[in-house]
Amino acid sequence: MRNTVPGRRRSTATASLAALSALTLSLAACSGGSLSAADAGGDGEGDGLGTVKVGLAIPASGVYQPLGDDMQQGFDLYLDQHDGKLGGADVEVVVADEGEGPDTGVPAVNKLITQDQVGAIVGLVNSATALGVKDAVEQAQIPLLIANAGADQLTDGSDYIWRTSFTNGAVGAALGPAVAEAVDGPVYVMAADYAAGHESAAGFIEAFTAAGGEIAGESYTPFGSTSDWQPYLSQVQSSGASALYVFYAGAEAVNFVTQYDAFGLHDEVPLYGAGFLTEGGVLDAQGDAAVGVHTSLHYSDQIDTPENAEFVAAYRDAYDEAPTVYAVQAYDAAQVLDLAIAEAGSIDSTAIAEALGSVGEIASPRGGWTFDDLHNPSQTYFLREVQDVDGATVNAVQGDLG
């Protein structure tokens, strides 16, 4: 049976890492990359393949906790639907609190490797954390399935690092040609001044200008400390821009969209953005201010397919809320592990890593996708528009961006 850490939200676990400050184990203490059935949490005898330990590294505290909650719910839902097994093996989930950044996230992942002796790791919201543990997982020869962090350079074809989410540049680039076609005039670009914002903006600008678009100007706002967007919105207004592209997420997305609406630009300068601008609880907080905003993303709970309808129904039944892209990315990470362990016929970590290249197409609620040569998802992006449907705001799917 699958073991989980007690104290989870609704039916999910959150792990306590109160002893992180005492973590002094180094990777040199790790006995190697391959785990036996006993090392991986099973005795190697009896039913099936034994028990594989999976480390779920997610924010269980701090500003990113809502994303971590969604990721755990998606991962757990897949396990619940498959009798607590992946590829025929029982699963023990060890949850590690990534927190808000690498100061907490890197020690949490190192603990999973050196102390918990997991056979695979899933999760990571923060790109700096993912970059900070890259060498560690490769040295330990443990597969890491990144279920959110979007830094463009994270995946480079490493045998041990795969991503079930997105790259920042690809999300922005998907929207570029559509905006060039829809907008008659130059577009202003605004983003938070950190890696994700710059990568998203760069992807959009490259695709948009290649499609014939013109950039009216760019602004990069201090990340995490900007509370008044009026000076920047004034620049947009005075630039003569016919539309605005932005990258914001979390609390910044809520504040930006509400101020954009209050400033009076809603009807004057149409707003486009990477889909995190209106995803999940962010959209609930924005309310009517977000109606009419267009975004690109690889998932919406409004995708009209039987597979997504079944997934949404199961997720709502389990958690009494709509699934988000963060939940789907973790759900798919569980499916990838399921396929890889079945392909390997083993819970040995190196065997799982080798099998990841043979999992083929993933039958996801977002639609079928495969890993590309760099181990990123080759997937469809959707044009979404925030609409009011029966008194609730949703990201209605307007088309396929390719």
Side-chain angles (χ1 to χ4, degrees):
M1 292 296 291
R2 174 169 57 98
N3 296 321
T4 56
V5 181
R8 55 178 288 184
R9 190 186 79 154
R10 301 186 182 89
S11 61
T12 53
T14 55
S16 170
L17 294 179
L20 269 183
S21 61
L23 179 61
T24 58
L25 294 172
S26 68
L27 285 174
C30 188
S31 59
S34 298
L35 299 179
S36 68
D39 293 332
D43 58 12
E45 300 178 355
D47 185 42
L49 300 176
T51 300
V52 60
K53 277 189 183 180
V54 177
L56 190 60
I58 54 174
S61 62
V63 295
Y64 300 122
Q65 182 178 347
L67 278 65
D69 290 340
D70 289 353
M71 292 165 72
Q72 181 155 25
Q73 290 177 177
F75 191 85
D76 285 352
L77 179 62
Y78 188 89
L79 287 181
D80 291 343
Q81 292 176 335
H82 294 81
D83 299 322
K85 295 179 181 291
L86 293 176
D90 290 326
V91 180
E92 179 183 350
V93 180
V94 182
V95 182
D97 186 1
E98 180 188 354
E100 296 185 358
D103 289 348
T104 53
V106 171
V109 173
N110 284 341
K111 178 180 179 294
L112 290 173
I113 295 170
T114 60
Q115 183 171 324
D116 297 309
Q117 293 283 289
V118 298
I121 299 171
V122 171
L124 299 184
V125 166
N126 188 286
S127 289
T129 298
L131 288 166
V133 303
K134 187 174 186 293
D135 289 345
V137 298
E138 289 178 337
Q139 180 178 336
Q141 299 181 331
I142 293 174
L144 167 63
L145 288 167
I146 298 170
N148 190 72
D152 290 350
Q153 73 272 32
L154 264 175
T155 44
D156 55 9
S158 163
D159 290 340
Y160 295 95
I161 300 177
W162 303 72
R163 179 153 42 189
T164 64
S165 52
F166 58 91
T167 63
N168 294 322
V171 180
L175 197 53
V179 176
E181 182 178 353
V183 175
D184 183 15
V187 172
Y188 201 95
V189 174
M190 189 183 302
D193 190 11
Y194 73 122
H198 283 278
E199 289 176 350
S200 176
F204 172 79
I205 290 170
E206 181 178 359
F208 174 70
T209 55
E214 178 187 351
I215 300 298
E218 300 175 46
S219 293
Y220 296 91
T221 58
F223 173 57
S225 61
T226 302
S227 58
D228 181 9
W229 273 269
Q230 182 170 333
Y232 302 102
L233 294 171
S234 294
Q235 292 177 23
V236 174
Q237 193 172 48
S238 63
S239 73
S242 297
L244 172 62
Y245 174 85
V246 303
F247 177 93
Y248 290 111
E252 286 195 324
V254 175
N255 292 334
F256 178 82
V257 168
T258 54
Q259 289 185 36
Y260 157 86
D261 181 59
F263 193 78
L265 287 184
H266 194 285
D267 297 323
E268 181 182 344
V269 182
L271 180 58
Y272 295 83
F276 316 105
L277 183 68
T278 61
E279 184 66 9
V282 167
L283 181 58
D284 295 336
Q286 291 163 342
D288 291 342
V291 172
V293 175
H294 288 84
T295 62
S296 61
L297 205 59
H298 47 287
Y299 181 70
S300 166
D301 65 307
Q302 302 296 300
I303 294 173
D304 187 14
T305 63
E307 295 81 5
N308 189 50
E310 181 178 352
F311 172 74
V312 171
Y315 194 93
R316 283 190 176 277
D317 183 62
Y319 307 115
D320 195 28
E321 62 187 27
T324 65
V325 69
Y326 313 111
V328 170
Q329 291 165 172
Y331 183 88
D332 284 358
Q335 182 179 178
V336 168
L337 274 179
D338 188 13
L339 295 170
I341 293 171
E343 173 71 18
S346 169
I347 57 174
D348 177 89
S349 59
T350 54
I352 295 171
E354 290 173 5
L356 285 169
S358 302
V359 297
E361 182 169 286
I362 307 303
S364 169
R366 71 183 95 170
W369 63 270
T370 58
F371 286 113
D372 65 17
D373 292 341
L374 295 179
H375 302 174
N376 293 312
S378 178
Q379 62 190 341
T380 297
Y381 287 90
F382 300 96
L383 177 63
R384 315 184 312 172
E385 180 185 12
V386 177
Q387 295 179 357
D388 185 318
V389 177
D390 297 328
T393 49
V394 300
N395 286 296
V397 176
Q398 301 298 292
D400 177 342
L401 295 170

Short mmCIF file of all heavy atoms in Angstrom, two decimals, residues 214-250:
data_model
loop_
_atom_site.label_atom_id
_atom_site.label_comp_id
_atom_site.label_asym_id
_atom_site.label_seq_id
_atom_site.Cartn_x
_atom_site.Cartn_y
_atom_site.Cartn_z
N GLU A 214 5.26 44.61 -34.48
CA GLU A 214 6.15 45.70 -34.08
C GLU A 214 6.02 45.93 -32.57
O GLU A 214 4.92 45.94 -32.02
CB GLU A 214 5.77 46.99 -34.83
CG GLU A 214 6.59 48.20 -34.44
CD GLU A 214 6.07 49.48 -35.09
OE1 GLU A 214 5.18 49.39 -35.96
OE2 GLU A 214 6.56 50.57 -34.69
N ILE A 215 7.16 46.10 -31.91
CA ILE A 215 7.19 46.33 -30.47
C ILE A 215 7.15 47.82 -30.18
O ILE A 215 7.98 48.59 -30.68
CB ILE A 215 8.44 45.70 -29.83
CG1 ILE A 215 8.45 44.19 -30.06
CG2 ILE A 215 8.50 46.02 -28.34
CD1 ILE A 215 7.28 43.45 -29.44
N ALA A 216 6.19 48.25 -29.34
CA ALA A 216 6.04 49.67 -28.99
C ALA A 216 6.97 50.08 -27.87
O ALA A 216 7.30 51.26 -27.73
CB ALA A 216 4.59 49.95 -28.59
N GLY A 217 7.39 49.14 -27.04
CA GLY A 217 8.25 49.43 -25.90
C GLY A 217 8.27 48.25 -24.95
O GLY A 217 7.47 47.32 -25.07
N GLU A 218 9.20 48.30 -23.98
CA GLU A 218 9.32 47.23 -22.99
C GLU A 218 9.55 47.82 -21.61
O GLU A 218 10.25 48.82 -21.47
CB GLU A 218 10.51 46.32 -23.33
CG GLU A 218 10.44 45.63 -24.68
CD GLU A 218 11.71 44.86 -25.00
OE1 GLU A 218 12.20 44.13 -24.09
OE2 GLU A 218 12.22 44.98 -26.12
N SER A 219 8.98 47.18 -20.59
CA SER A 219 9.22 47.53 -19.20
C SER A 219 9.36 46.26 -18.38
O SER A 219 8.59 45.31 -18.58
CB SER A 219 8.08 48.37 -18.62
OG SER A 219 8.01 49.65 -19.23
N TYR A 220 10.32 46.25 -17.46
CA TYR A 220 10.52 45.10 -16.58
C TYR A 220 10.45 45.60 -15.14
O TYR A 220 11.28 46.39 -14.70
CB TYR A 220 11.85 44.41 -16.89
CG TYR A 220 11.82 43.83 -18.29
CD1 TYR A 220 12.26 44.59 -19.38
CD2 TYR A 220 11.27 42.58 -18.53
CE1 TYR A 220 12.20 44.08 -20.67
CE2 TYR A 220 11.19 42.06 -19.82
CZ TYR A 220 11.65 42.82 -20.88
OH TYR A 220 11.56 42.33 -22.16
N THR A 221 9.42 45.16 -14.44
CA THR A 221 9.09 45.70 -13.11
C THR A 221 9.79 44.90 -12.02
O THR A 221 9.91 43.68 -12.12
CB THR A 221 7.57 45.67 -12.89
OG1 THR A 221 7.10 44.32 -13.02
CG2 THR A 221 6.86 46.52 -13.95
N PRO A 222 10.24 45.55 -10.95
CA PRO A 222 10.93 44.84 -9.87
C PRO A 222 10.09 43.67 -9.34
O PRO A 222 8.96 43.86 -8.91
CB PRO A 222 11.12 45.93 -8.80
CG PRO A 222 11.19 47.19 -9.58
CD PRO A 222 10.22 47.01 -10.72
N PHE A 223 10.70 42.48 -9.36
CA PHE A 223 9.97 41.28 -9.00
C PHE A 223 9.72 41.22 -7.51
O PHE A 223 10.62 41.40 -6.69
CB PHE A 223 10.77 40.04 -9.43
CG PHE A 223 10.19 38.73 -8.96
CD1 PHE A 223 8.89 38.37 -9.29
CD2 PHE A 223 10.95 37.86 -8.20
CE1 PHE A 223 8.36 37.17 -8.87
CE2 PHE A 223 10.43 36.65 -7.77
CZ PHE A 223 9.14 36.31 -8.11
N GLY A 224 8.47 41.00 -7.14
CA GLY A 224 8.11 40.80 -5.76
C GLY A 224 7.98 42.05 -4.93
O GLY A 224 7.56 41.97 -3.77
N SER A 225 8.30 43.20 -5.49
CA SER A 225 8.23 44.44 -4.71
C SER A 225 7.40 45.53 -5.39
O SER A 225 7.24 46.60 -4.82
CB SER A 225 9.64 44.98 -4.43
OG SER A 225 10.31 45.28 -5.64
N THR A 226 6.90 45.26 -6.59
CA THR A 226 6.07 46.25 -7.28
C THR A 226 4.63 46.14 -6.80
O THR A 226 4.03 45.07 -6.89
CB THR A 226 6.13 46.07 -8.80
OG1 THR A 226 7.49 46.17 -9.23
CG2 THR A 226 5.30 47.12 -9.51
N SER A 227 4.10 47.23 -6.29
CA SER A 227 2.70 47.23 -5.85
C SER A 227 1.87 48.26 -6.60
O SER A 227 0.64 48.17 -6.60
CB SER A 227 2.61 47.52 -4.34
OG SER A 227 3.21 48.77 -4.04
N ASP A 228 2.54 49.19 -7.27
CA ASP A 228 1.84 50.25 -8.02
C ASP A 228 2.29 50.20 -9.47
O ASP A 228 3.42 50.55 -9.80
CB ASP A 228 2.16 51.61 -7.40
CG ASP A 228 1.43 52.76 -8.12
OD1 ASP A 228 0.56 52.47 -8.97
OD2 ASP A 228 1.75 53.93 -7.83
N TRP A 229 1.37 49.74 -10.31
CA TRP A 229 1.69 49.63 -11.74
C TRP A 229 1.28 50.88 -12.53
O TRP A 229 1.48 50.92 -13.73
CB TRP A 229 1.01 48.39 -12.34
CG TRP A 229 1.82 47.14 -12.20
CD1 TRP A 229 2.72 46.65 -13.10
CD2 TRP A 229 1.84 46.23 -11.10
NE1 TRP A 229 3.30 45.49 -12.63
CE2 TRP A 229 2.77 45.20 -11.40
CE3 TRP A 229 1.17 46.17 -9.89
CZ2 TRP A 229 3.04 44.15 -10.55
CZ3 TRP A 229 1.44 45.12 -9.04
CH2 TRP A 229 2.35 44.11 -9.36
N GLN A 230 0.75 51.87 -11.89
CA GLN A 230 0.27 53.05 -12.62
C GLN A 230 1.35 53.71 -13.47
O GLN A 230 1.08 54.06 -14.63
CB GLN A 230 -0.36 54.06 -11.65
CG GLN A 230 -0.93 55.28 -12.37
CD GLN A 230 -1.77 56.18 -11.46
OE1 GLN A 230 -2.33 55.69 -10.47
NE2 GLN A 230 -1.85 57.44 -11.78
N PRO A 231 2.58 53.91 -12.95
CA PRO A 231 3.60 54.54 -13.81
C PRO A 231 3.89 53.73 -15.07
O PRO A 231 4.10 54.29 -16.14
CB PRO A 231 4.83 54.61 -12.89
CG PRO A 231 4.28 54.58 -11.51
CD PRO A 231 3.08 53.68 -11.58
N TYR A 232 3.87 52.42 -14.95
CA TYR A 232 4.13 51.56 -16.10
C TYR A 232 2.95 51.56 -17.07
O TYR A 232 3.13 51.56 -18.30
CB TYR A 232 4.44 50.14 -15.63
CG TYR A 232 5.62 50.07 -14.69
CD1 TYR A 232 5.41 49.94 -13.31
CD2 TYR A 232 6.92 50.16 -15.15
CE1 TYR A 232 6.48 49.88 -12.43
CE2 TYR A 232 8.00 50.11 -14.27
CZ TYR A 232 7.77 49.97 -12.92
OH TYR A 232 8.83 49.93 -12.05
N LEU A 233 1.74 51.55 -16.52
CA LEU A 233 0.56 51.60 -17.37
C LEU A 233 0.47 52.93 -18.10
O LEU A 233 0.00 52.99 -19.24
CB LEU A 233 -0.70 51.35 -16.53
CG LEU A 233 -0.81 49.94 -15.94
CD1 LEU A 233 -1.97 49.86 -14.95
CD2 LEU A 233 -0.96 48.89 -17.04
N SER A 234 0.96 54.00 -17.48
CA SER A 234 1.01 55.31 -18.15
C SER A 234 1.95 55.26 -19.35
O SER A 234 1.68 55.85 -20.40
CB SER A 234 1.46 56.40 -17.17
OG SER A 234 0.51 56.58 -16.15
N GLN A 235 3.08 54.54 -19.19
CA GLN A 235 4.00 54.37 -20.30
C GLN A 235 3.36 53.61 -21.45
O GLN A 235 3.56 53.94 -22.63
CB GLN A 235 5.26 53.64 -19.83
CG GLN A 235 6.13 54.42 -18.87
CD GLN A 235 7.31 53.61 -18.37
OE1 GLN A 235 7.75 52.65 -19.02
NE2 GLN A 235 7.84 53.97 -17.21
N VAL A 236 2.59 52.58 -21.11
CA VAL A 236 1.88 51.82 -22.14
C VAL A 236 0.92 52.74 -22.89
O VAL A 236 0.87 52.76 -24.13
CB VAL A 236 1.11 50.64 -21.52
CG1 VAL A 236 0.25 49.94 -22.58
CG2 VAL A 236 2.07 49.66 -20.87
N GLN A 237 0.17 53.52 -22.15
CA GLN A 237 -0.84 54.41 -22.73
C GLN A 237 -0.20 55.45 -23.65
O GLN A 237 -0.70 55.72 -24.74
CB GLN A 237 -1.63 55.08 -21.63
CG GLN A 237 -2.89 55.79 -22.09
CD GLN A 237 -3.72 56.27 -20.92
OE1 GLN A 237 -3.18 56.89 -19.98
NE2 GLN A 237 -5.01 55.99 -20.92
N SER A 238 0.92 56.02 -23.22
CA SER A 238 1.57 57.07 -24.01
C SER A 238 2.38 56.53 -25.18
O SER A 238 2.77 57.29 -26.07
CB SER A 238 2.48 57.91 -23.11
OG SER A 238 3.53 57.12 -22.57
N SER A 239 2.63 55.21 -25.18
CA SER A 239 3.44 54.62 -26.26
C SER A 239 2.68 54.48 -27.56
O SER A 239 3.28 54.24 -28.61
CB SER A 239 3.94 53.24 -25.83
OG SER A 239 2.88 52.28 -25.83
N GLY A 240 1.35 54.56 -27.49
CA GLY A 240 0.54 54.34 -28.68
C GLY A 240 0.34 52.87 -29.00
O GLY A 240 -0.08 52.51 -30.11
N ALA A 241 0.61 52.02 -28.04
CA ALA A 241 0.46 50.57 -28.26
C ALA A 241 -0.99 50.20 -28.51
O ALA A 241 -1.90 50.75 -27.90
CB ALA A 241 0.98 49.80 -27.05
N SER A 242 -1.17 49.25 -29.40
CA SER A 242 -2.51 48.74 -29.71
C SER A 242 -2.87 47.55 -28.84
O SER A 242 -4.04 47.14 -28.80
CB SER A 242 -2.59 48.33 -31.18
OG SER A 242 -2.39 49.45 -32.02
N ALA A 243 -1.89 46.97 -28.14
CA ALA A 243 -2.13 45.84 -27.23
C ALA A 243 -0.94 45.73 -26.29
O ALA A 243 0.11 46.35 -26.51
CB ALA A 243 -2.33 44.54 -28.00
N LEU A 244 -1.12 44.90 -25.26
CA LEU A 244 -0.10 44.72 -24.22
C LEU A 244 0.10 43.24 -23.97
O LEU A 244 -0.87 42.49 -23.80
CB LEU A 244 -0.55 45.42 -22.93
CG LEU A 244 0.27 45.23 -21.66
CD1 LEU A 244 1.69 45.76 -21.84
CD2 LEU A 244 -0.42 45.92 -20.48
N TYR A 245 1.38 42.79 -23.96
CA TYR A 245 1.72 41.42 -23.57
C TYR A 245 2.46 41.48 -22.24
O TYR A 245 3.39 42.28 -22.07
CB TYR A 245 2.61 40.73 -24.59
CG TYR A 245 3.09 39.37 -24.12
CD1 TYR A 245 2.30 38.25 -24.30
CD2 TYR A 245 4.31 39.23 -23.45
CE1 TYR A 245 2.71 37.00 -23.83
CE2 TYR A 245 4.72 37.99 -22.97
CZ TYR A 245 3.92 36.88 -23.17
OH TYR A 245 4.32 35.65 -22.71
N VAL A 246 2.08 40.60 -21.28
CA VAL A 246 2.73 40.61 -19.98
C VAL A 246 3.02 39.20 -19.49
O VAL A 246 2.39 38.23 -19.92
CB VAL A 246 1.88 41.34 -18.91
CG1 VAL A 246 1.56 42.75 -19.34
CG2 VAL A 246 0.60 40.57 -18.59
N PHE A 247 3.99 39.11 -18.57
CA PHE A 247 4.21 37.90 -17.80
C PHE A 247 4.17 38.26 -16.33
O PHE A 247 5.07 38.95 -15.82
CB PHE A 247 5.56 37.26 -18.12
CG PHE A 247 5.84 36.04 -17.27
CD1 PHE A 247 5.49 34.77 -17.71
CD2 PHE A 247 6.43 36.17 -16.02
CE1 PHE A 247 5.73 33.65 -16.91
CE2 PHE A 247 6.66 35.05 -15.22
CZ PHE A 247 6.32 33.80 -15.67
N TYR A 248 3.12 37.81 -15.65
CA TYR A 248 3.01 37.91 -14.20
C TYR A 248 2.32 36.66 -13.68
O TYR A 248 1.54 36.02 -14.40
CB TYR A 248 2.21 39.16 -13.77
CG TYR A 248 2.95 40.45 -14.04
CD1 TYR A 248 2.51 41.33 -15.03
CD2 TYR A 248 4.10 40.78 -13.32
CE1 TYR A 248 3.20 42.50 -15.29
CE2 TYR A 248 4.79 41.95 -13.58
CZ TYR A 248 4.34 42.81 -14.56
OH TYR A 248 5.03 43.96 -14.82
N ALA A 249 2.60 36.33 -12.44
CA ALA A 249 1.99 35.15 -11.82
C ALA A 249 1.73 35.45 -10.35
O ALA A 249 2.27 36.41 -9.79
CB ALA A 249 2.91 33.94 -11.97
N GLY A 250 0.88 34.63 -9.73
CA GLY A 250 0.62 34.75 -8.31
C GLY A 250 0.02 36.09 -7.93
O GLY A 250 -0.81 36.66 -8.64
#
